Amino acid sequence: MKPNNDSRAKRALRFIGPRLFQFVFVIWAAYTLTFLLLHLLPGDPLIAALSVKGGDATPTDPDELRELRARYGLDGSMWDQYVTNGLAALRGDLGVSIATGQNVGDMIARALPNTAIVAILALVIGVTVSMVITYWAFVARRSWLRNSLLQIPPLGVAIPAFFSGLVLVSVFAYGLGLLPSSGSRNPLSPILPAVTLAMPVGAIFFQVFSAAVLEARASSYVFTAIAKGVSLPLLFFRHVLRNALLPSITILGLLIGYLAGGTAVVESVFSRDGIGRLTVDAVLARDGNVVQGVVLVVAVVYSVVNLLVDLSYGLIDPRIRPAGRRRVRAAHDAAVVAS
Amino acid sequence: MKMLISRPGMLVSALVVVAALAMTFLPQMFATHDPFEGIPADQLQPPSAAHWFGTDALGRDVYSRVVYGALLSLATAGLAVVVGVALGAVVGLVSGFVGGRLDFVLMRIVDVVIAVPSILLSLIVVAGLGFGAVPVAIGVGIGAAGSFARVTRSQVVRVRRAEYVEAALGMGVRWPAILVRHVFPNSARPVIALAALEVGTAILAVSALSFLGFGAPPPAPEWGALVSYGRDFLATAWWLSVLPGAVIVVVVLAVNRLARAIGGER
């Protein structure tokens, strides 16, 4: 066996380096894409926002407009704005909202906790329910039962979140009076939005997870385990779960993106102060600065989650670990020599 | 025909889609009342034989409004798919056909467009373009264009190495003609399958954006806007939101079922 000359730090760098690059790239690209879409589409961003805000009282005096442009970071050529605003964002300064005059970073920081509670709760509910349904389908002995169980989650994608949210409100808030219908003050208020959001999110997770589990069910190691008399529940938790988790975790980043988009609708339905509602209000006010800020924050969250997911692969699957890969190869070599 | 009878799900889905299309083009055949004219005496009536989906606060028949709303909802979704396919096909064709550095750059851009959640992308576009059915359609279309670009490119890359393309080249056919006559028709099938699936997604996205208030202005009966209108009466008149919402769900389920059949799944 060849001795390994690489230092540990070098190996770690080679593993993490490309992922860090991707991390930076996604954030930069999200900023650029939003900037281009907001500035290249026809219409002046400042005039559009001011006319929504002021109606007929829109200022038309050139000097006044120039001053307003400077305040909102919309002065100079497009390239100037792109560089200045980008550098400011790097320092954590997301500019000033045209509609409210507040600091965009502060607005987002105030809204983020409300959204995070709902998003995390929705993720937990969605993942748990789809795992339970997959487990039942796995242990089901009759194929019709298995097939009908597998038919349930795709419904979650077809039902619009605004519709399921309203049905939940009319049943649980107005019908039974169990949970608050709107707002973000009541400690029980995140439950209904989270359940609403969990349906599409759970359905997406389910598609990947159940496919991985059913694929594992057909594989030879499961066949062997069944032949040796391992019970189905034990087989599921001991052998199949770990193998099915890897592809499922990959889409976690995708789900974060979906959650970010889904909160726009759900928070409007439930009148919660969060990132999604902030975005919708910003679009209604045609406030490009807030939209840009929200996209940047979402891109950072998305990238952090993806980075964590990438690094967690090694924990779940030793074959992906750089050190582990060497050990696996060593074991493989030894086995080849022995046979 | 035999296939339709042996698969009740497919039959029902096909009927729903045909009915939805008929409502789009011939709303007066299906509507029982005028969608804009209210009868003040009939305010907020629950569903009954006279008003199948009940009436709203102005005494307008909700069922007729849903029927007339089909045009706006489905046409906007259709336009969104057309925008998505057209943009994606052009980018994918160029990227896959030219190859090299341009291909690399275009595909990295597409990666980012796919990574940004499509509703967020649509919101950015609407923020830039303004409100209305057409901006919503363009926004949803751009949101979907990334996946179309990727699928088209992968097909083009496969087809351009095919022997018949080489043969045409050897016979002296020019590149543009090859692109139109050979590459495009042979790479279209997976794109069509994806487009069919995208119709359901587009209906959902368009109605979500209209629900948020970015679609056609109020008197127009759009499905998402109808659901949004009913929110204010949810505690007292549930049918205003729930029945139009149910129509959206049924149509999307039917469209998705047919789309999967087009995609080759039985």
Side-chain angles (χ1 to χ4, degrees):
Chain A
M1 190 188 138
K2 210 172 67 181
N4 198 313
N5 296 325
D6 283 6
S7 73
R8 206 185 172 83
K10 219 176 188 177
R11 230 185 304 127
L13 192 70
R14 212 183 313 138
F15 184 69
I16 294 174
R19 287 163 176 85
L20 273 180
F21 174 76
Q22 200 192 3
F23 177 88
V24 175
F25 175 79
V26 167
I27 295 171
W28 168 78
Y31 170 68
T32 310
L33 182 72
T34 320
F35 184 89
L36 288 178
L37 280 176
L38 285 174
H39 288 79
L40 284 187
L41 289 174
D44 182 321
L46 180 74
I47 303 284
L50 287 179
S51 62
V52 172
K53 187 183 176 184
D56 291 336
T58 310
T60 44
D61 179 35
D63 290 331
E64 201 180 335
L65 276 180
R66 204 170 305 131
E67 191 200 319
L68 285 172
R69 274 183 210 287
R71 193 193 310 165
Y72 299 126
L74 295 167
D75 52 342
S77 70
M78 244 183 76
W79 177 248
D80 282 346
Q81 290 181 37
Y82 176 71
V83 174
T84 336
N85 295 347
L87 289 177
L90 270 185
R91 291 195 305 269
D93 174 12
L94 296 175
V96 177
S97 156
I98 306 175
T100 63
Q102 289 175 318
N103 187 303
V104 174
D106 292 346
M107 289 169 76
I108 293 176
R110 224 177 300 136
L112 202 54
N114 282 333
T115 302
I117 295 174
V118 172
I120 292 172
L121 202 56
L123 203 58
V124 170
I125 296 173
V127 168
T128 312
V129 170
S130 46
M131 277 187 170
V132 168
I133 292 181
T134 311
Y135 172 73
W136 283 342
F138 184 79
V139 294
R141 289 186 186 279
R142 296 174 200 286
S143 64
W144 64 263
L145 182 62
R146 180 159 62 236
N147 287 336
S148 40
L149 275 171
L150 294 178
Q151 289 296 322
I152 302 170
L155 287 175
V157 184
I159 299 176
F162 57 82
F163 175 64
S164 48
L166 288 176
V167 170
L168 286 177
V169 166
S170 51
V171 173
F172 289 98
Y174 295 134
L176 304 173
L178 287 176
L179 293 163
S181 66
S182 61
S184 34
R185 295 263 164 76
N186 193 313
L188 290 178
S189 67
I191 295 178
L192 284 184
V195 172
T196 309
L197 207 49
M199 288 187 209
V201 167
I204 297 174
F205 179 81
F206 176 86
Q207 281 168 355
V208 177
F209 183 70
S210 67
V213 165
L214 293 182
E215 196 191 306
R217 202 181 203 282
S219 68
S220 49
Y221 70 90
V222 169
F223 186 75
T224 312
I226 292 176
K228 285 170 77 178
V230 180
S231 72
L232 278 176
L234 188 68
L235 183 64
F236 182 82
F237 289 109
R238 269 289 196 57
H239 303 279
V240 174
L241 191 60
R242 195 157 156 152
N243 279 295
L245 224 47
L246 197 64
S248 318
I249 280 187
T250 311
I251 62 155
L252 211 59
L254 192 82
L255 290 182
I256 296 295
Y258 201 92
L259 282 168
T263 50
V265 172
V266 170
E267 286 176 354
S268 298
V269 170
F270 291 96
S271 311
R272 285 177 65 83
D273 297 319
I275 295 289
R277 185 118 169 272
L278 191 70
T279 319
V280 171
D281 288 346
V283 174
L284 280 174
R286 306 201 56 190
D287 189 343
N289 289 359
V290 175
V291 174
Q292 175 88 69
V294 168
V295 172
L296 264 180
V297 170
V298 170
V300 169
V301 173
Y302 172 86
S303 298
V304 168
V305 170
N306 264 345
L307 195 65
L308 291 178
V309 164
D310 267 359
L311 298 180
S312 74
Y313 285 165
L315 291 179
I316 297 168
D317 190 341
R319 286 170 297 185
I320 294 171
R321 224 176 290 163
R325 204 184 292 153
R326 207 179 69 243
R327 229 173 287 144
V328 168
R329 203 178 305 139
H332 180 252
D333 289 349
V336 169
V337 169
S339 65
Chain B
M1 203 59 229
K2 212 174 195 176
M3 192 193 82
L4 279 181
I5 293 165
S6 66
R7 283 168 210 285
M10 279 284 288
L11 183 65
V12 173
S13 303
L15 284 178
V16 168
V17 171
V18 167
L21 285 178
M23 282 179 186
T24 308
F25 294 110
L26 295 165
Q28 59 276 18
M29 295 273 293
F30 293 86
T32 51
H33 293 75
D34 186 301
F36 299 105
E37 200 84 44
I39 307 165
D42 286 357
Q43 279 174 24
L44 294 175
Q45 294 289 314
S48 62
H51 300 286
W52 294 348
F53 285 7
T55 60
D56 66 10
L58 299 174
R60 293 177 295 195
D61 182 59
V62 177
Y63 167 72
S64 302
R65 285 179 68 71
V66 169
V67 169
Y68 275 88
L71 174 61
L72 204 51
S73 296
L74 299 181
T76 313
L79 181 63
V81 174
V82 169
V83 168
V85 171
L87 257 177
V90 168
V91 172
L93 269 178
V94 169
S95 184
F97 205 72
V98 175
R101 205 165 285 170
L102 181 72
D103 178 32
F104 181 80
V105 171
L106 281 177
M107 279 304 115
R108 293 296 80 71
I109 297 174
V110 165
D111 283 347
V112 175
V113 173
I114 290 178
V116 178
S118 51
I119 187 160
L120 209 54
L121 208 56
S122 321
L123 284 175
I124 300 170
V125 173
V126 172
L129 273 182
F131 312 142
V134 174
V136 164
I138 295 176
V140 173
I142 289 180
S147 352
F148 284 110
R150 200 180 265 177
V151 171
T152 312
R153 177 192 169 270
S154 71
Q155 287 304 309
V156 171
V157 167
R158 181 183 61 85
V159 170
R160 70 174 292 216
R161 304 254 172 260
E163 281 162 4
Y164 51 82
V165 171
E166 219 168 287
L169 201 62
M171 282 158 64
V173 184
R174 283 167 202 220
W175 276 119
I178 292 181
L179 209 58
V180 175
R181 291 282 295 281
H182 299 285
V183 175
F184 191 68
N186 282 297
S187 33
R189 211 187 129 80
V191 180
I192 291 170
L194 185 64
L197 270 178
E198 187 59 34
V199 172
T201 317
I203 294 175
L204 284 180
V206 165
S207 56
L209 288 172
S210 307
F211 175 83
L212 294 173
F214 303 129
E222 202 278 343
W223 290 351
L226 287 178
V227 178
S228 171
Y229 171 82
R231 276 168 72 189
D232 300 338
F233 305 95
L234 203 55
T236 49
W238 54 270
W239 57 90
L240 283 181
S241 277
V242 172
L243 293 179
V247 168
I248 299 177
V249 175
V250 169
V251 170
V252 169
L253 281 175
V255 168
N256 283 351
R257 184 70 197 84
L258 286 190
R260 285 208 304 276
I262 292 174
E265 186 190 304
R266 296 286 154 196

